Amino acid sequence: MFRQHVWMALLLMAPALPLQAADGRTGRGLTEIPDPELSLMRGRYTVGGNNVAWFGVTMVSQWQAGNGATLQGALTLAMDFRGGGAPKLSFQPSVHVTAADAPLPDTHGRSIDSSGLANASGLVQSVQVAGDGNVARNVTTLSVRDGEMPSAASEGARSVSAQQAGASATAVLEGNQARLLLQVDGQGLVQQWIRNGSVGQGIALAGDGQIASNQLRLELVRNTVGGNLPLSQNVAQAIALNRGMGPGQ
């Protein structure tokens, strides 16, 4: 299912271009290429194993609540495919919460429901705001390169959390997902995730005067022999090969 979700998303993003055969026939979609045409093609294909050598995810979330409380969270997740089979995982989380003496703004009568994001697949970005004077920002970047792998990082805990005065921050790798979550009672939540079939960012603010941001960086390192593959295929391969995240793939 994970592989199907990834390729479906890529196919939906790709434009439908007309195809033309040697005899002048044109059409859309997939068509069979006759043997005479295949016999004229040389050096256009790469045969072999996995062309993605390393895939990394970095998430950073920050939130300043309306009463001055600050929440911060970060995690890095790396998947090394060079050994073949399931990738070798490394995970490093960190969180921090600073409480404020002032009371939280009143959000009576306001509500935000972000539960539907659990059913979303592909790349997701969401902002929901029910208050005034808020600032929210989601940023996602993708870096693809050939060459040396990043230095191996020491393995951290699979889950860390911090709580103070109704505010909490959590970074966790559990089952088939990694997630970063910031929450303030009655004020909303800020979250990022990568799971089976979905990578996403969500901000939901019910209070006033809040500043929240999510930054998500995806980095993919290819084997040199795989450098001629299309970018979309490299990215889909890295995510679809993500068998080491846990059961359920």
Side-chain angles (χ1 to χ4, degrees):
M1 289 298 294
F2 194 15
R3 186 183 298 272
Q4 293 174 350
H5 287 314
V6 172
W7 281 111
M8 185 175 294
L10 292 171
L11 289 171
L12 289 174
M13 291 188 291
L17 299 177
L19 303 176
Q20 184 169 0
D23 59 2
R25 291 177 290 106
T26 61
R28 290 182 176 273
L30 300 176
T31 62
E32 182 179 356
I33 301 176
D35 289 340
E37 289 184 53
L38 288 174
S39 67
L40 299 176
M41 296 182 180
R42 296 289 186 274
R44 296 176 182 234
Y45 307 100
T46 298
V47 179
N50 300 333
N51 292 296
V52 174
W54 187 90
F55 183 58
V57 180
T58 301
M59 300 178 183
V60 179
S61 296
Q62 297 177 317
W63 186 1
Q64 180 175 315
N67 66 341
T70 59
L71 300 85
Q72 297 178 330
L75 67 82
T76 59
L77 174 67
M79 290 167 267
D80 189 340
F81 296 95
R82 289 173 292 175
K88 180 180 179 181
L89 287 180
S90 63
F91 179 72
Q92 287 187 308
S94 64
V95 295
H96 181 72
V97 175
T98 301
D101 295 332
L104 289 168
D106 182 17
T107 59
H108 180 71
R110 302 177 185 177
S111 64
I112 294 178
D113 185 358
S114 301
S115 60
L117 295 179
N119 302 318
S121 60
L123 177 61
V124 179
Q125 289 182 316
S126 170
V127 175
Q128 299 169 285
V129 178
D132 298 321
N134 296 299
V135 177
R137 186 185 187 196
N138 287 319
V139 177
T140 299
T141 60
L142 169 65
S143 173
V144 180
R145 63 181 176 84
D146 303 325
E148 295 296 323
M149 307 299 114
S151 301
S154 58
E155 183 71 14
R158 292 298 176 104
S159 177
V160 296
S161 61
Q163 300 88 24
Q164 283 200 56
S168 65
T170 304
V172 60
L173 174 63
E174 182 179 20
N176 63 352
Q177 71 170 328
R179 188 184 187 196
L180 187 60
L181 176 63
L182 310 180
Q183 287 184 294
V184 180
D185 291 346
Q187 305 295 304
L189 59 86
V190 176
Q191 62 178 327
Q192 298 189 78
W193 68 86
I194 177 171
R195 60 175 181 258
N196 195 348
S198 178
V199 179
Q201 303 171 307
I203 297 176
L205 303 177
D208 301 325
Q210 304 184 83
I211 302 174
S213 66
N214 281 321
Q215 298 180 54
L216 172 63
R217 177 179 173 82
L218 306 175
E219 185 177 7
L220 185 149
V221 181
R222 302 177 295 193
N223 284 329
T224 303
V225 296
N228 63 335
L229 288 178
L231 171 60
S232 59
Q233 185 173 344
N234 284 130
V235 176
Q237 185 183 52
I239 300 177
L241 288 173
N242 183 15
R243 295 186 294 270
M245 292 283 284
Q249 289 83 0

